[in-house]
Amino acid sequence: MNSTIQKLLNDQIKYEASASMQYLSMASWADANGYNGVAEFFYNQSEEERLHMTKLVKFVNERSGQVIIPQLDKPKDDFKTLNELFETFLTSEIFVTEQINKIIYECLQKQDYNVHNFMQWYVTEQLEEEAVARTLLDKLTIIGNDKSGHYLFDRDINTIANSQSNEI
Ligand code: FEO
């Protein structure tokens, strides 16, 4: 495997792992603050990111590359509002998409169509995750500071969380 691509894939392993821990931290915050639906949503999201990470680890090993399991920074845990929680979610997903695009670009430069093909799964996944993050943040922007609106948001997000559980 090309060394630049291997380095980018290892970086991606770290980003997916970091996202998993970040979403776990967000799930825990929501759990502690009485938002059970939001908590379930982020517990599931955290599991998904862990799967994204593991998929990369297995792929690099299959290609006889060298995997480096990374050390992670402490995730953010001092949220003030639901809005801040979902802004962090969207920012994180946009960052991951940008990194995936970098890998795709490098694959084309180095003509590694095998990794390019593998990464298409992540491209599709990111499209979905960014769309979900934007939709939820839009809803929260409409709700504003309305407490009963937050209550209904937390109740309704359960539907999304349950469909996620079925996918994992
Ligand atoms: Fe696997 Fe949502 O980044």
Side-chain angles (χ1 to χ4, degrees):
M1 185 183 287
N2 173 275
S3 61
T4 308
I5 291 181
Q6 177 171 291
K7 162 85 171 61
L8 287 173
L9 290 176
N10 270 301
D11 288 347
Q12 196 61 35
I13 287 169
K14 179 171 183 173
Y15 301 142
E16 302 288 350
S18 295
S20 177
M21 297 312 282
Q22 182 59 66
Y23 298 160
L24 184 60
S25 164
M26 286 151 72
S28 178
W29 180 90
D31 218 349
N33 284 277
Y35 297 115
N36 296 341
V38 172
E40 208 50 43
F41 174 82
F42 280 114
Y43 280 131
N44 289 339
Q45 210 62 43
S46 174
E47 286 298 319
E48 275 197 31
E49 299 302 352
R50 191 177 186 286
L51 291 176
H52 297 175
M53 174 198 69
T54 310
K55 198 175 167 80
L56 278 158
V57 169
K58 288 181 177 175
F59 177 75
V60 175
N61 277 318
E62 267 170 24
R63 286 278 310 256
S64 303
Q66 191 192 355
V67 171
I68 300 158
I69 301 300
Q71 185 172 13
L72 304 178
D73 296 333
K74 182 181 175 297
K76 178 179 166 63
D77 59 6
D78 56 342
F79 305 98
K80 306 241 169 352
T81 60
L82 272 184
N83 268 63
E84 194 181 345
L85 204 68
F86 281 86
E87 275 163 13
T88 304
F89 180 35
L90 179 58
T91 304
S92 165
E93 290 303 321
I94 290 172
F95 172 77
V96 169
T97 302
E98 286 170 355
Q99 305 315 308
I100 286 168
N101 289 343
K102 277 187 196 165
I103 300 176
I104 302 276
Y105 174 81
E106 205 55 39
C107 287
L108 293 173
Q109 297 300 306
K110 302 287 189 298
Q111 299 189 331
D112 190 331
Y113 300 116
N114 188 301
V115 175
H116 183 272
N117 187 44
F118 170 76
M119 291 307 297
Q120 293 310 307
W121 182 87
Y122 286 85
V123 172
T124 309
E125 190 72 11
Q126 280 314 114
L127 204 66
E128 282 174 21
E129 293 197 340
E130 264 194 53
V132 169
R134 276 182 217 284
T135 303
L136 293 172
L137 193 53
D138 284 348
K139 283 186 195 298
L140 282 171
T141 304
I142 293 167
I143 292 166
N145 292 326
D146 178 17
K147 279 200 163 55
S148 57
H150 286 162
Y151 173 82
L152 293 174
F153 177 90
D154 185 59
R155 189 196 65 182
D156 291 349
I157 203 173
N158 252 324
T159 318
I160 301 176
N162 288 337
S163 70
Q164 285 173 318
S165 300
N166 295 334
E167 281 175 21
I168 293 171

